[in-house]
Amino acid sequence: MIGFWNAFVKITGWPAQFFCFRTKTYYEDRQRQGRGIRGPAIVICNHTSVFDYVVLMFAFWSRTLRFQIAEVMFRKPLLGTLLRLLGGIYVNRDSHDIGCIAISEEIVQSGGIVGIFPEGRLPRAGEARPLPFKTGAAYLALSTGAQVIPVYTNGSYFNKKRARIMIGAPIKASDYADPKLSDRENIQLVAEAMRTRIIELGGLLDERGEGKASA
């Protein structure tokens, strides 16, 4: 049913999202990673708005992305119901419940795709972007061995300037791990490497004059 509801929303919502975002997609290396994703994966992206989720849903049209979503979004009656139908993964940031990690591992190990905004929250005015990354995405990437697809969005939604995203080449968390370090140290190391990749993709958009995320 999750696949059905994702397809339904994509088909019926395509015209509206096109006029709201007019997303233009760029690629770091299109031969290695276009908009089609093969096999299990973890998609990570900088966080500029609650609409980042919508933009990524339509960017990867042919696959169902199951995003980790903060508890506050699920508390909205109609929106919460829709997010559950679309397969949203409930993340309770107010507790130490790691159920979202277990669910995410199961999805990836079953061949699915999990989407994560590693910053964990929206940046506040004046904060350097992207924020330091939480370690959940890094842990998931190391524990499953799945490819990680980094994406950068300029966050330009609902205005005259088109939304632009840069899809990066897939990376493997194990390539950044150091066998001499502890598991905890490696998770942190991979999280920092993920943030660096997002910054690099933002730099590629900067070269086209489209890289600054909305404040």
Side-chain angles (χ1 to χ4, degrees):
M1 287 299 291
I2 290 173
F4 167 81
W5 283 109
N6 272 267
F8 177 80
V9 168
K10 287 176 181 178
I11 293 170
T12 59
W14 190 90
Q17 68 84 30
F18 176 80
F19 287 108
C20 289
F21 308 125
R22 296 179 296 121
T23 307
K24 184 173 178 60
T25 304
Y26 298 89
Y27 306 89
E28 181 182 28
D29 185 344
R30 190 165 189 166
Q31 291 186 334
R32 293 184 60 196
Q33 185 58 62
R35 297 178 68 171
I37 302 175
R38 296 182 179 180
I42 301 162
V43 173
I44 61 171
C45 185
N46 62 307
H47 206 10
T48 69
S49 163
V50 295
F51 296 104
D52 296 333
Y53 165 58
V54 180
V55 168
L56 291 178
M57 175 194 295
F58 283 94
F60 297 102
W61 176 269
S62 64
R63 295 292 301 274
T64 296
L65 275 65
R66 304 273 307 271
F67 266 88
Q68 292 185 2
I69 301 172
E71 74 292 331
V72 65
M73 304 302 292
F74 285 94
R75 291 172 183 164
K76 303 178 186 296
L78 294 179
L79 179 59
T81 298
L82 178 60
L83 292 175
R84 289 183 177 88
L85 290 173
L86 294 175
I89 303 168
Y90 185 99
V91 178
N92 190 342
R93 297 173 299 176
D94 299 325
S95 75
H96 297 291
D97 179 19
I98 58 173
C100 62
I101 297 296
I103 294 172
S104 298
E105 283 184 310
E106 182 178 348
I107 291 169
V108 173
Q109 290 168 350
S110 298
I113 303 173
V114 169
I116 301 176
F117 299 107
E119 291 167 270
R121 64 172 175 83
L122 293 172
R124 302 184 181 94
E127 287 186 313
R129 301 182 178 206
L131 299 173
F133 278 15
K134 306 293 185 183
T135 55
Y139 169 84
L140 184 64
L142 285 169
S143 67
T144 63
Q147 62 179 329
V148 177
I149 301 172
V151 181
Y152 183 91
T153 175
N154 70 350
S156 180
Y157 312 143
F158 301 99
N159 57 49
K160 294 180 180 180
K161 187 177 180 181
R162 294 181 67 176
R164 258 81 170 180
I165 63 172
M166 175 69 73
I167 299 177
I171 60 176
K172 280 284 191 179
S174 57
D175 291 341
Y176 299 94
D178 185 341
K180 297 179 181 179
L181 300 179
S182 67
D183 289 345
R184 181 182 294 245
E185 290 172 323
N186 271 317
I187 290 171
Q188 186 61 49
L189 191 66
V190 171
E192 292 170 358
M194 287 179 171
R195 182 174 182 271
T196 297
R197 288 293 294 122
I198 294 294
I199 292 172
E200 290 171 349
L201 295 179
L204 292 178
L205 271 186
D206 273 335
E207 294 175 3
R208 297 167 169 83
E210 302 293 349
K212 293 185 178 180
S214 298

